[in-house]
Amino acid sequence: MIKVALAGQPNCGKSTVFNMISGIYQHIANYPGVTVDKKSGRFKAGDREVELVDLPGTYSFSSYSAEERVAKDVILEEDPDIIVNVVDASNIKRNLYLTFQLLEIGKPVVVVLNMMDVAARRGIEIDSHKMAELLGCPVVEASGAQGKGKEEILQALKLIWDQKSSFEEFRLNYEGLEPFIQKLQRDFTKIDSVVSSRWLAIKALEQDMQIIQKLEKMQRGIAQKAKEYRLQFHEVLDRDPESFLAALRFDSADIIYHKCVVEKQKDHVTATDIADRFILNRWLALPFLFLVMFGIYELSIVMGYKITDYTWPLLAAVKNFTVDILPAANFTEVPVITEFGIWMVNSANALLNYIPIFLILFALIAILEDVGYMPRMAFILDRLFRKFGLHGQSTLPLVLGGAFVGGCAVPGVMATKGIADDRARMATILTVPYMNCLAKVPFYTLLLGAFFKAEMALMMFYISTVTVFIALIVAKILTSTVLKTRETAPFVMELPPYHLPTFKGVVLRAFERVWIYIKKVVTIVLAVAVILFALLQFPGLDEERRAHYAQKSQEALSYFDNRVRGSDYYALVDTKEEVSRLLNFYDGYKMKRMTASGKEGAQAVDSEYKALNPEFFKFVKPKGDAEARKINRPLRKLSRMRKKILMDIKDEKVENSLLGMAGRSIEPFTQYAGFDWKVNVAFLSSFAARESAVATLGSIYENNKTKEGARAEETMAQNSGYTPLHATAMIIFMILTPPCIATMIVVKFQTGSYRWMLFAIFFPITLGIATAITVFQMGVHSSLNGVEAMTFFYVSVLLTALVLGLMPQKRINWSGGLPQSKVRDLH
């Protein structure tokens, strides 16, 4: 089997080449301290089996970013047989710098000149045969977007594999540095590596700490030797090895460029140049950016919600199917397995319902990436973000997280892997959860509909924009304190020419990201849903309360029996078992009729149930049958009575459950924010998925006073006893707290630390409850209503962000030495 590593710079179209060659979908590989996207798959190249590994995109093989460190780890640890270097043919001179670094590793290399169609449109002609002769490796022309070059790439892989015995290690003459490279190589007496020892020596002299640490583990003292040779080189030429190496590589790339490339339209003003005059204009850039963001969320959220009107009946059908195959209830005696099955389906549906929205969102983001606007977005915002310790590349994670309401923190945190600046990357990871993820929107909608109908637009504006200011404030605080000594890196962002996206590429990436969402979120949430189910079920009702509800059930059955005794059909419903069957039949029919679409759907449900049990169907739809109507009216009343008993049982179970007791235990503290134990239970239960807060509050406050068919907003407004000020405190707490447990798991993956995961959980919760208490208590003592309290909170956050943004950036960028107490003792 041939193991092939696919390497290249960002924006070179490497993913399209991977998909063209193998068609394998994306997998996730976890490396120490970072989660990266690494595609891998096996396919045939002639009679050879090939395993293709897609490395993260890197501008070089230094160790500035997580991608560069991970790419080197793969080369060193997985030992690929061949490296395929994907090069952007339309920007070849810049890409060749990485090519020389890959050639030096000591592995056979195939250079793929991708995006040849774009190069041709820009008047760029490349002599690939001459380039192959100069580099001593196969050079293949291709266009991943158009599916051209696949056979040539596979043929090159087969050719280079068959001729591996004649492979000669690539050497770039570094002139004045050569004596020191050779001396360090001779010192490698215990170094055993799958790559070139010369390349390792070069990287050590280049002060690549990742390589130096690996060498030091194999042979103590190598780091000191490399340091000595660096100093000796500096004394001779008065230059640092890294700048000397970089200059020679760029010079070598320039030689290849001038010998093999002809640009016929070099001084021609391109469409990209014309577009950037407007898109990157000093005055137009930000308005255009906000217009793009508004369009993305208008299309994804508004249109996505409309699509859910069609997908929700499918999910409801899954629930109905699950209910049908689970053991039926014997009046109010519902089997635990049935309750558990319905709970799990509801938990899954709550998340799967948002897939159309995410699919549109990810497709639009893929279009922005392909077009070339995403790097420009980062460029536009870099100056603003820098004032708060963030980075231009923080833009995409914050947008994915829900900067304008409606994102998801899971892909948002995952997207931070591309930020080279470690300080900004950590700050972004810890601030993305403050964005308004889509899971929080139902909660906001519930409270705004219940308490702020007249001011809904203003409140939603506050909610949708205040989170950005909060994220900036938190980032400023973190980068000035706990993250101040973290490694930083320059903001290097290539602005590629604009391209037309391909339908296949957009769809593939959208489905890949949705699939990651399903695997990373749904599986975790369902696992936590099992725990929540147990916490809400146990210890359950005691004997006395069970006897009480058994009596209530008997009274309801007696009512029904007395009312239907005079019917000619009484013999069909004269036992508890038959009544339960009829009631389950009736409730099932009603549920399916509610989810049926159109007249034809309703008729299909009628036909299904009439065929299922013709006798019971008479009682559900008696039409002209007077005797059947005698059963229909009591049946409808009995259905309502059963629902009331089941609701009371559920409420009492929740109140006395482990989660309910937890809610009561923290009530003495949370009451200062206006939260009683019921609100606490809702927040605790929603930690798995914020959507469940709505279901919990809705079920807790639904009682016999609630009119039939009332919306959850009406139920809460009528029965909760809360005021708009209480609702404002709840909204503020929800804004500041983490979205879900799935996000926290991804935070752990990206930071590689449980300590940071715990910090990401408890810091926002502490900040959220402290802020909610402050705003609620100030509102109570100042007689503020909910809107006034929210306005005070919003203005306070905005002013704080402005003050911090105007503060000069002066940070201590070093750490170590003696403790401060010891230093003071010396003076």
Side-chain angles (χ1 to χ4, degrees):
M1 184 179 67
I2 310 173
K3 184 177 287 186
V4 178
L6 200 67
Q9 291 191 358
N11 306 311
C12 69
K14 187 160 54 66
S15 293
T16 61
V17 172
F18 177 92
N19 289 328
M20 176 182 69
I21 299 173
S22 65
I24 305 297
Y25 284 93
Q26 182 166 291
H27 297 277
I28 297 299
N30 296 327
Y31 289 87
V34 66
T35 301
V36 299
D37 293 342
K38 188 193 75 168
K39 298 178 184 177
S40 60
R42 295 183 181 181
F43 58 94
K44 288 280 188 178
D47 59 346
R48 305 284 185 182
E49 186 177 13
V50 178
E51 181 183 6
L52 186 63
V53 178
D54 186 6
L55 304 182
T58 61
Y59 287 104
S60 72
F61 250 47
S62 303
S63 295
Y64 284 124
S65 70
E67 278 82 359
E68 291 167 350
R69 290 190 286 269
V70 167
K72 275 188 294 188
D73 272 341
V74 174
I75 297 295
L76 292 170
E77 295 173 10
E78 297 194 13
D79 187 21
D81 300 300
I82 303 171
I83 297 174
V84 173
N85 175 212
V86 181
V87 171
D88 178 1
S90 65
N91 193 12
I92 191 167
K93 189 175 181 180
R94 182 183 181 88
N95 280 245
L96 284 171
Y97 181 84
L98 176 63
T99 302
F100 278 104
Q101 287 187 304
L102 295 173
L103 286 165
E104 289 183 296
I105 290 174
K107 300 283 186 180
V109 173
V110 175
V111 175
V112 176
L113 299 177
N114 190 32
M115 301 166 67
M116 284 296 293
D117 53 325
V118 177
R121 287 199 301 269
R122 299 181 68 184
I124 300 172
E125 294 181 355
I126 303 173
D127 189 340
S128 58
H129 297 291
K130 191 170 186 178
M131 186 181 294
E133 291 175 3
L134 290 171
L135 294 176
C137 68
V139 177
V140 179
E141 298 182 10
S143 173
Q146 295 181 350
K148 296 179 180 178
K150 175 179 179 178
E151 293 303 322
E152 289 82 357
I153 295 171
L154 297 180
Q155 186 62 33
L157 292 175
K158 185 176 183 300
L159 176 68
I160 205 169
W161 177 258
D162 292 339
Q163 297 181 1
K164 62 180 179 178
S165 59
S166 59
F167 171 74
E168 184 179 341
E169 187 176 304
F170 184 90
R171 293 171 64 92
L172 179 60
N173 186 3
Y174 287 112
E175 301 171 354
L177 190 61
E178 283 296 331
F180 302 100
I181 296 173
Q182 293 168 15
K183 281 198 288 186
L184 189 56
Q185 273 187 278
R186 287 194 293 270
D187 290 330
F188 288 170
T189 57
K190 299 179 181 178
I191 301 300
D192 181 22
S193 178
V194 297
V195 298
S196 166
S197 62
R198 175 181 170 83
W199 180 72
L200 293 174
I202 292 170
K203 299 306 289 180
L205 290 171
E206 204 174 6
Q207 211 171 13
D208 188 316
M209 293 310 299
Q210 184 182 8
I211 297 298
I212 289 174
Q213 289 169 3
K214 290 181 181 296
L215 292 174
E216 192 69 16
K217 288 180 181 179
M218 290 186 278
Q219 182 178 335
R220 296 289 298 274
I222 287 297
Q224 183 60 34
K225 286 284 186 181
K227 183 178 180 182
E228 291 174 6
Y229 295 149
R230 279 176 54 83
L231 292 173
Q232 292 174 21
F233 173 78
H234 195 279
E235 290 174 1
V236 174
L237 293 181
D238 195 28
R239 293 185 67 180
D240 292 325
E242 47 266 40
S243 61
F244 181 79
L245 288 162
L248 277 172
R249 288 175 189 140
F250 277 120
D251 287 344
S252 301
D254 190 61
I255 291 171
I256 298 291
Y257 172 78
H258 284 291
K259 286 184 176 293
C260 305
V261 181
V262 176
E263 290 193 41
K264 294 183 176 180
Q265 302 176 10
K266 190 171 184 179
D267 299 321
H268 178 71
V269 177
T270 64
T272 294
D273 298 329
I274 296 171
D276 278 343
R277 289 175 186 173
F278 297 94
I279 293 173
L280 299 181
N281 180 275
R282 182 179 180 182
W283 305 109
L284 298 177
L286 281 175
F288 184 79
L289 171 63
F290 287 122
L291 183 64
V292 169
M293 290 297 97
F294 176 79
I296 286 175
Y297 286 103
E298 183 72 17
L299 288 171
S300 60
I301 295 178
V302 175
M303 185 180 294
Y305 267 124
K306 290 180 180 178
I307 294 176
T308 59
D309 291 339
Y310 301 96
T311 58
W312 176 251
L314 300 176
L315 297 175
V318 172
K319 179 181 177 180
N320 291 338
F321 173 76
T322 305
V323 171
D324 289 343
I325 63 174
L326 289 171
N330 186 13
F331 197 55
T332 56
E333 299 166 9
V334 183
V336 174
I337 188 64
T338 300
E339 289 187 338
F340 177 72
I342 294 173
W343 168 270
M344 295 302 291
V345 171
N346 285 340
S347 299
N349 283 357
L351 292 169
L352 295 175
N353 188 43
Y354 295 123
I355 284 180
I357 296 172
F358 285 131
L359 195 59
I360 296 174
L361 179 64
F362 289 143
L364 292 173
I365 290 172
I367 290 172
L368 290 183
E369 291 172 344
D370 283 359
V371 166
Y373 184 69
M374 200 63 78
R376 288 165 172 83
M377 188 188 302
F379 174 78
I380 293 166
L381 293 175
D382 181 62
R383 179 177 296 181
L384 171 64
F385 282 175
R386 279 286 175 187
K387 293 179 181 295
F388 294 91
L390 294 174
H391 199 277
Q393 289 174 307
S394 302
T395 306
L396 176 60
L398 293 174
V399 168
L400 286 173
F404 294 88
V405 180
C408 177
V410 172
V413 173
M414 289 172 66
T416 60
K417 67 184 178 57
I419 301 176
D421 188 313
D422 189 49
R423 179 193 293 159
R425 186 178 72 86
M426 288 294 298
T428 308
I429 289 171
L430 298 172
T431 52
V432 165
Y434 291 96
M435 298 298 99
N436 281 314
C437 73
L438 199 60
K440 293 183 179 182
V441 174
F443 181 82
Y444 298 144
T445 305
L446 172 68
L447 293 181
L448 296 184
F451 300 102
F452 301 102
K453 284 186 178 179
E455 304 89 1
M456 186 177 287
L458 176 63
M459 291 292 288
M460 201 64 214
F461 170 78
Y462 284 158
I463 293 168
S464 61
T465 55
V466 76
T467 52
V468 178
F469 300 125
I470 291 170
L472 294 177
I473 292 169
V474 172
K476 180 77 171 184
I477 294 171
L478 293 176
T479 54
S480 301
T481 54
V482 294
L483 298 177
K484 64 182 179 182
T485 59
R486 284 270 175 167
E487 179 185 352
T488 61
F491 175 46
V492 179
M493 176 59 70
E494 179 184 354
L495 298 182
Y498 293 106
H499 305 295
L500 285 175
T502 63
F503 178 78
K504 180 181 177 182
V506 169
V507 171
L508 273 177
R509 286 212 300 286
F511 275 101
E512 284 173 358
R513 289 168 175 170
V514 168
W515 181 240
I516 291 172
Y517 167 77
I518 292 172
K519 289 196 299 183
K520 284 283 184 181
V521 180
V522 174
T523 53
I524 293 172
V525 170
L526 290 182
V528 176
V530 175
I531 299 172
L532 281 176
F533 179 79
L535 292 175
L536 288 169
Q537 287 292 316
F538 296 102
L541 303 177
D542 57 28
E543 289 293 336
E544 181 181 348
R545 298 307 297 168
R546 283 202 293 268
H548 167 75
Y549 287 115
Q551 178 63 31
K552 288 280 187 182
S553 299
Q554 188 57 48
E555 291 173 1
L557 288 170
S558 298
Y559 159 83
F560 179 79
D561 188 71
N562 291 332
R563 290 302 182 94
V564 304
R565 188 177 292 273
S567 170
D568 292 345
Y569 297 112
Y570 177 68
L572 297 175
V573 290
D574 60 350
T575 65
K576 178 182 177 182
E577 288 72 20
E578 289 298 330
V579 173
S580 296
R581 283 184 58 225
L582 172 60
L583 203 52
N584 293 334
F585 182 89
Y586 174 79
D587 287 342
Y589 171 79
K590 287 293 184 183
M591 187 182 300
K592 288 192 176 181
R593 276 297 297 261
M594 288 176 64
T595 58
S597 55
K599 185 177 181 180
E600 292 181 359
Q603 289 175 346
V605 173
D606 286 351
S607 300
E608 176 190 349
Y609 272 78
K610 188 173 183 179
L612 185 64
N613 194 321
E615 296 296 334
F616 281 179
F617 190 75
K618 293 178 184 178
F619 309 145
V620 174
K621 297 194 74 173
K623 293 186 178 179
D625 192 333
E627 293 299 317
R629 274 200 298 271
K630 291 180 181 179
I631 294 180
N632 175 263
R633 296 190 189 96
L635 176 62
R636 283 181 286 156
K637 178 68 178 292
L638 182 64
S639 177
R640 292 193 293 271
M641 293 171 74
R642 179 168 78 160
K643 288 177 182 176
K644 172 65 172 58
I645 295 171
L646 289 174
M647 185 63 65
D648 289 345
I649 292 173
K650 183 176 74 172
D651 289 349
E652 192 165 337
K653 274 187 176 181
V654 169
E655 184 174 353
N656 296 312
S657 67
L658 296 174
L659 201 58
M661 288 187 280
R664 286 189 178 279
S665 68
I666 60 176
E667 187 177 17
F669 177 67
T670 61
Q671 64 180 341
Y672 296 106
F675 303 166
D676 59 15
W677 73 269
K678 297 177 181 178
V679 174
N680 294 339
V681 166
F683 280 130
L684 289 171
S685 67
S686 71
F687 189 51
R690 287 303 183 193
E691 300 94 333
S692 60
V694 175
T696 304
L697 287 172
S699 63
I700 286 176
Y701 290 114
E702 185 178 12
N703 58 33
N704 60 329
K705 297 178 183 177
T706 305
K707 65 181 180 181
E708 186 71 23
R711 293 169 59 89
E713 293 90 338
E714 298 174 16
T715 299
M716 191 166 183
Q718 294 169 6
N719 304 327
S720 66
Y722 301 141
T723 66
L725 183 60
H726 287 87
T728 295
M730 286 185 243
I731 289 171
I732 290 172
F733 182 75
M734 180 64 85
I735 285 173
L736 290 168
T737 50
C740 62
I741 190 66
T743 301
M744 297 301 101
I745 296 296
V746 176
V747 167
K748 189 272 170 187
F749 288 157
Q750 292 289 14
T751 61
S753 169
Y754 282 105
R755 291 175 60 188
W756 282 117
M757 183 187 76
L758 294 174
F759 178 86
I761 294 172
F762 291 108
F763 177 75
I765 290 175
T766 304
L767 180 64
I769 192 65
T771 307
I773 289 173
T774 302
V775 172
F776 183 77
Q777 291 299 322
M778 202 201 77
V780 170
H781 291 95
S782 303
S783 300
L784 300 179
N785 61 34
V787 175
E788 291 169 344
M790 190 67 182
T791 303
F792 166 77
F793 169 69
Y794 186 86
V795 172
S796 300
V797 170
L798 178 59
L799 291 176
T800 303
L802 289 174
V803 170
L804 290 177
L806 294 173
M807 287 174 59
Q809 291 283 90
K810 292 184 178 180
R811 298 196 190 96
I812 295 175
N813 288 317
W814 59 87
S815 62
L818 292 172
Q820 291 186 6
S821 58
K822 298 292 185 182
V823 175
R824 284 194 292 268
D825 292 341
L826 297 175
H827 295 276

